[in-house]
Amino acid sequence: MKTIICKTETEWVEKAAGIIRRKIENGRPNCVLALACGKTMQSVWNQLADDCAKGMLSLRDVRVLCVTELCGAEETKSCRYAMTKGFLGKTDIRPENCFFPDPDTPEAYDRMIDELGGIDLAVLGIGENCHIGYNEPGTLFESRTHVQKLTDRTKRQLLKRGFAEAEMPGQAVTMGIKTLTDAREILLLAGGADKAAAVYQMHYAKTTSYIPAAFLQIPLNVTVLLDEAAAEKL
């Protein structure tokens, strides 16, 4: 696990966008990206969309798979909406190259990933309770795409995204831990002091299902990109 600590948000965004750009430009022309949907990612997606608008980057042949989807969320609060309206819809990617997990047939997502040749780069965030994707504490390492019950702590994080108690999703469909760790390369992004404890556990805890992010100690090609606040406990 390679960890990079950035002094400014601008540096953090530029480094993250640069890693993704290099994977697109130097990898397979139709490389497969697994992208998390969260507040942490938005500034990076804005940078990549701006690169596309300026003709500096093309996503035309890239295949993008969203890591998660909230079950039963209204359209404007869904991962699909955030990813397409907030990022992909601002690029030149072809709509048929955008994929989202279906809670009714989660196993089909892993079959499709195999048919695409596997994930070249997975870009992930981390939850305050150490979840990656929506793999909550207790998720087994061997898990594949599945429907996951959300913990109360995760629901509290969703309140910050504008969900009301009455409309709070109880479940999400998520790529499993094994689905994610099978990626050829993983980039994890974390910013803010509220993520510092989880970042510490990701680096130093035992690889146990109660700390899902600690399983990122296992793959060989993992880069963790932090701001100083998220790195304060390291």
Side-chain angles (χ1 to χ4, degrees):
M1 185 183 290
K2 177 183 178 182
T3 301
I4 301 171
I5 302 171
C6 300
K7 293 185 179 296
T8 66
E9 182 180 3
T10 298
E11 180 188 4
W12 184 85
V13 170
E14 288 178 349
K15 284 187 179 296
I19 290 170
I20 298 167
R21 278 196 301 266
R22 285 192 294 275
K23 177 59 67 173
I24 293 169
E25 294 166 351
N26 301 332
R28 295 187 291 164
N30 56 352
C31 70
V32 177
L33 305 180
L35 304 182
C37 176
K39 183 175 65 174
T40 300
M41 311 293 173
Q42 193 56 55
S43 55
V44 178
W45 300 156
N46 289 343
Q47 180 63 58
L48 293 173
D50 190 52
D51 291 343
C52 284
K54 293 176 179 177
M56 299 167 56
L57 177 69
S58 175
L59 299 183
R60 177 176 172 77
D61 295 321
V62 172
R63 279 80 58 81
V64 168
L65 296 88
C66 196
V67 172
T68 61
E69 184 56 276
L70 295 164
C71 298
E74 65 176 74
E75 181 185 359
T76 58
K77 289 187 171 67
S78 67
C79 297
R80 177 188 291 267
Y81 185 90
M83 187 64 72
T84 55
K85 299 298 183 181
F87 174 39
L88 297 175
K90 301 176 183 178
T91 74
D92 63 344
I93 193 168
R94 292 181 289 179
E96 62 267 28
N97 285 347
C98 303
F99 304 94
F100 302 88
D102 184 344
D104 293 328
T105 56
E107 67 284 348
Y109 214 44
D110 287 286
R111 290 198 299 268
M112 184 184 67
I113 291 169
D114 289 340
E115 291 167 1
L116 293 174
I119 297 169
D120 293 300
L121 174 65
V123 184
L124 307 175
I126 184 171
E128 293 175 15
N129 64 355
C130 295
H131 71 228
I132 50 175
Y134 277 122
N135 293 289
E136 300 279 35
T139 306
L140 299 177
F141 175 71
E142 294 295 331
S143 62
R144 297 287 182 177
T145 304
H146 63 283
V147 174
Q148 173 73 54
K149 182 179 179 180
L150 301 179
T151 64
D152 289 342
R153 190 166 186 180
T154 295
K155 291 177 182 178
R156 288 195 295 272
Q157 283 187 260
L158 289 174
L159 288 173
K160 300 175 186 178
R161 284 178 47 183
F163 282 91
E165 291 281 2
E167 64 180 7
M168 182 66 65
Q171 296 178 316
V173 58
T174 181
M175 289 185 184
I177 294 174
K178 193 67 168 65
T179 307
L180 294 170
T181 56
D182 277 350
R184 296 179 182 88
E185 184 176 354
I186 296 170
L187 172 63
L188 185 133
L189 308 176
D194 57 341
K195 299 296 180 70
V199 166
Y200 176 86
Q201 290 182 296
M202 175 179 65
H203 280 80
Y204 298 116
K206 293 181 179 180
T207 51
T208 166
S209 64
Y210 290 100
I211 305 174
F215 286 123
L216 295 180
Q217 297 171 23
I218 297 173
L220 297 178
N221 199 0
V222 177
T223 299
V224 178
L225 197 56
L226 308 172
D227 67 6
E228 289 187 321
E232 66 182 7
K233 294 184 182 295
L234 296 182

